[in-house]
Amino acid sequence: PSHDRMAKVLPPLKGARSLGYPKRTARAARAVWGSEISAPNPDSQLAFGKREFKPRAATAEIVVSKTLIQNAPDVDSIVRVELAFAFGELQEIAYLTGDGADKPLGIFTASPDGISTARDISTDNTATAITFDGLSNAKYSIKDQYQAKLQWMFHRDAVKMLAKIKDLEGQYVWQPAVTLDTPDVLLGKRVKMSEYVPNTFTTGLYVGAIGDFSNYWIVDSMNLEITALFELLARTNQVDYIARLETDGMPVLEEAFARVKLG
């Protein structure tokens, strides 16, 4: 997904190699009723841990003939577009399924540092299919304060399945967009598709997610830079294009997400 539209992108790191973020690991106890002059009871439940964003480097390289560049003026721009696409694909895969080891931690990776298995919702789904009741369970497993910004995320194979699901009154729960550039809607929430959402429909596997994706944070320390080296491979009449960026990302509040899991 286009992370500048869904996720929260923090300002680039300047003069630092990492960014610590305090994570609330347990909520405070509820307030209690008392008398006019009663003393409050000190809370012993509120707890914080710490997550650390450490932007990791990603690189790519394309070598092109100088003769090709001279004879086809669009080659330079094509190479740059291809490099940008390659990095966009790499980042999207990591933001969704990255394991957090020298790369971002993804939405679909169960981890106590991101979204734990406590946010896996499989009730009423079958071993091979998502159901109407399973979708409802996922949506309403998320607290009210996040509901306004919820969006679904599925692979197109899952969308093909979802488009055929009917509610108990025989009405399709999928609502296709009726005007240009407006999103499809599922149970009242926008749907985003990605080729990199897990799409193996086998018991116990993830096949989608719903959440307030502004609670997925991305931190860069180097934006995408592309350098064209005209002299390095001059003996072989080639131009060497080198690209590099440094980024990290992870979910920062698991209760804002639910993963759709098969039964």
Side-chain angles (χ1 to χ4, degrees):
S2 178
H3 67 246
D4 59 341
R5 291 186 176 90
M6 294 185 69
K8 179 177 181 178
V9 181
L10 276 64
L13 294 183
K14 298 294 184 182
R17 292 299 303 157
S18 65
L19 172 66
Y21 170 74
K23 176 198 175 186
R24 186 192 65 223
T25 57
R27 283 189 174 276
R30 288 191 179 95
V32 297
W33 296 106
S35 65
E36 180 180 351
I37 59 172
S38 61
N41 295 321
D43 173 70
S44 60
Q45 294 183 195
L46 181 62
F48 288 90
K50 182 181 178 182
R51 288 196 175 99
E52 193 169 14
F53 291 88
K54 292 183 177 180
R56 272 75 171 189
T59 59
E61 181 180 25
I62 295 178
V63 177
V64 181
S65 162
K66 283 186 178 180
T67 302
L68 177 62
I69 294 175
Q70 292 167 355
N71 293 334
D74 289 340
V75 170
D76 179 82
S77 61
I78 291 172
V79 170
R80 292 175 184 274
V81 168
E82 282 298 308
L83 285 169
F85 179 86
F87 277 95
E89 188 175 47
L90 179 75
Q91 289 172 278
E92 184 170 342
I93 292 171
Y95 298 147
L96 291 174
T97 60
D99 61 10
D102 294 326
K103 65 176 71 69
L105 179 61
I107 296 290
F108 293 98
T109 299
S111 168
D113 292 329
I115 303 174
S116 71
T117 55
R119 301 304 305 144
D120 296 349
I121 308 298
S122 61
T123 304
D124 292 322
N125 289 328
T126 73
T128 57
I130 309 165
T131 67
F132 169 72
D133 287 346
L135 291 171
S136 297
N137 291 333
K139 176 181 175 181
Y140 293 110
S141 73
I142 299 176
K143 296 177 181 179
D144 178 66
Q145 59 261 44
Y146 308 110
Q147 287 285 328
K149 293 184 178 180
L150 293 185
Q151 297 185 71
W152 298 97
M153 177 67 70
F154 291 107
H155 187 276
R156 57 190 167 85
D157 289 342
V159 169
K160 180 172 64 175
M161 179 185 295
L162 296 169
K164 302 174 184 178
I165 293 179
K166 298 179 180 180
D167 62 20
L168 300 178
E169 297 179 354
Q171 301 296 316
Y172 287 103
V173 298
W174 183 271
Q175 297 175 286
V178 294
T179 57
L180 184 65
D181 295 329
T182 59
D184 296 327
V185 174
L186 180 65
L187 297 184
K189 301 301 177 183
R190 296 160 59 101
V191 180
K192 296 282 189 177
M193 283 194 294
S194 172
E195 287 294 295
Y196 310 110
V197 173
N199 64 325
T200 301
F201 292 88
T202 303
T203 183
L205 297 185
Y206 300 135
V207 290
I210 184 171
D212 175 356
F213 287 86
S214 66
N215 288 289
Y216 190 97
W217 288 11
I218 294 170
V219 179
D220 301 323
S221 62
M222 176 189 291
N223 293 324
L224 178 61
E225 293 184 355
I226 300 175
T227 304
L229 303 178
F230 288 89
E231 305 299 330
L232 181 64
L233 302 176
R235 294 185 63 191
T236 54
N237 195 41
Q238 293 174 303
V239 177
D240 189 3
Y241 288 85
I242 296 176
R244 181 183 182 92
L245 63 76
E246 294 180 2
T247 188
D248 196 10
M250 67 178 71
V252 298
L253 189 62
E254 71 168 24
E255 67 180 30
F257 297 90
R259 281 186 295 248
V260 179
K261 187 177 181 180
L262 295 183

